[in-house]
Amino acid sequence: WLLFFCARKKKVTRREAKTCPEGEKARAAGPKKHSQLKKPRPNGRKKYSCIASPRVKSLSMDNPSLLHPSPWLLLLLLPSWLGCPAHSPQNGPPAVYFSNQASFSPLPPQYIEKPMDMLQRISGSHGDKHFHMSAWVKANNEEMVMEFWGDMGNSLGTFHYNHQGLHFSSSAFPQHFRPEYVLADFQLCFYSPMALRNALGKLTLYTQQPTSGVEIRRLYEGETCLVEIEKTPHRVHYKNHLRGYAYSIEGDFP
């Protein structure tokens, strides 16, 4: 929107009058008599000209930061960062891409390796950004439910996946957020390696059985390592080499 203002007709200053021909004539003629003075306009109004201001103020708004999301929240935003409408249920989550060519269709809930019902503390990074959050995760052969909240105890969203489909509800995530990527990363960490191999298609899942309490999982496309996961009884570290993000999940894992 443009703002308008009225500007009076410019008057000649004394300094300008000394340098212009009209000013010289006016000084030579001397001061005007009363009868020579310009009479006011009949309606008593002064003459104005109205011009549009060339300056237009722009609105600026600081982007409110969401309690820096953490791994799962980071994942929600990575395939892409307020409020968004709830995602409606869908029959079978869409495929996700671990690389630009290789896709993966998430598995049904029954392929979880060890059911869990626990609190998880999550911290992650993407470039120079760091994220922190908490989640209560209930995952078994029937369903997978996640409740996310921030450091101040504010709810960030609810994630629900079962045989009927995937549902995510939140007022803190952007509209382009894709919850199926959260599901895919979770399954890479906690689902049966054999079931994952059958579903990964062109991708290869390498697993190393626990030695000294550490289990290793690596996802390859050809000879390129896309994802690396380290699991211990109290910590899971996930690193996506291709997308450039990583996160750690702490808790008492089964």
Side-chain angles (χ1 to χ4, degrees):
W1 298 95
L2 293 178
L3 302 177
F4 292 92
F5 69 90
C6 289
R8 297 191 181 188
K9 188 175 181 180
K10 186 177 180 182
K11 295 181 180 179
V12 179
T13 63
R14 291 194 178 190
R15 181 174 298 178
E16 291 171 337
K18 292 180 180 179
T19 58
C20 66
E22 291 79 5
E24 293 294 339
K25 292 179 182 179
R27 286 190 294 108
K32 290 184 178 180
K33 296 180 180 180
H34 180 74
S35 60
Q36 296 176 315
L37 293 177
K38 186 176 181 180
K39 294 181 180 181
R41 297 173 63 86
N43 57 6
R45 297 180 183 176
K46 296 180 180 179
K47 187 177 180 181
Y48 291 92
S49 60
C50 190
I51 62 173
S53 170
R55 292 180 294 178
V56 179
K57 293 184 179 180
S58 61
L59 298 176
S60 62
M61 180 184 296
D62 290 332
N63 256 336
S65 67
L66 296 170
L67 280 173
H68 285 305
S70 56
W72 300 124
L73 177 52
L74 174 59
L75 295 178
L76 311 179
L77 307 176
L78 276 176
S80 74
W81 266 85
L82 256 148
C84 80
H87 288 254
S88 58
Q90 45 190 324
N91 293 324
V96 302
Y97 284 82
F98 284 114
S99 73
N100 295 332
Q101 290 81 29
S103 63
F104 164 71
S105 296
L107 295 166
Q110 67 262 29
Y111 290 105
I112 189 168
E113 192 171 34
K114 296 179 181 179
M116 62 182 71
D117 190 355
M118 58 180 294
L119 173 67
Q120 297 182 0
R121 293 168 295 277
I122 308 165
S123 59
S125 62
H126 181 222
D128 58 352
K129 293 182 174 63
H130 298 273
F131 311 88
H132 304 276
M133 68 184 293
S134 298
W136 191 274
V137 179
K138 179 183 178 182
N140 52 40
N141 295 331
E142 299 295 328
E143 64 180 357
M144 173 183 164
V145 181
M146 293 183 178
E147 296 278 349
F148 301 101
W149 64 89
D151 293 339
M152 302 300 292
N154 56 309
S155 175
L156 296 177
T158 302
F159 180 102
H160 188 209
Y161 174 59
N162 58 21
H163 294 281
Q164 296 179 347
L166 171 62
H167 180 85
F168 179 76
S169 177
S170 172
S171 59
F173 291 86
Q175 192 168 3
H176 61 267
F177 156 64
R178 299 180 62 185
E180 60 269 20
Y181 278 83
V182 179
L183 177 62
D185 274 13
F186 181 89
Q187 292 191 356
L188 264 190
C189 292
F190 299 110
Y191 272 43
S192 163
M194 184 177 296
L196 286 170
R197 289 190 183 97
N198 293 334
L200 283 169
K202 298 178 181 180
L203 301 175
T204 302
L205 179 66
Y206 167 84
T207 58
Q208 179 179 324
Q209 293 305 313
T211 57
S212 303
V214 180
E215 177 187 349
I216 304 294
R217 295 187 179 192
R218 294 190 182 98
L219 184 65
Y220 286 88
E221 183 180 37
E223 297 182 356
T224 303
C225 181
L226 304 177
V227 176
E228 186 171 5
I229 301 166
E230 292 183 5
K231 298 174 61 179
T232 70
H234 302 289
R235 181 176 177 270
V236 175
H237 182 72
Y238 180 107
K239 185 170 184 179
N240 191 308
H241 296 284
L242 182 65
R243 309 299 183 194
Y245 67 90
Y247 57 85
S248 295
I249 311 170
E250 296 180 354
D252 296 323
F253 296 99

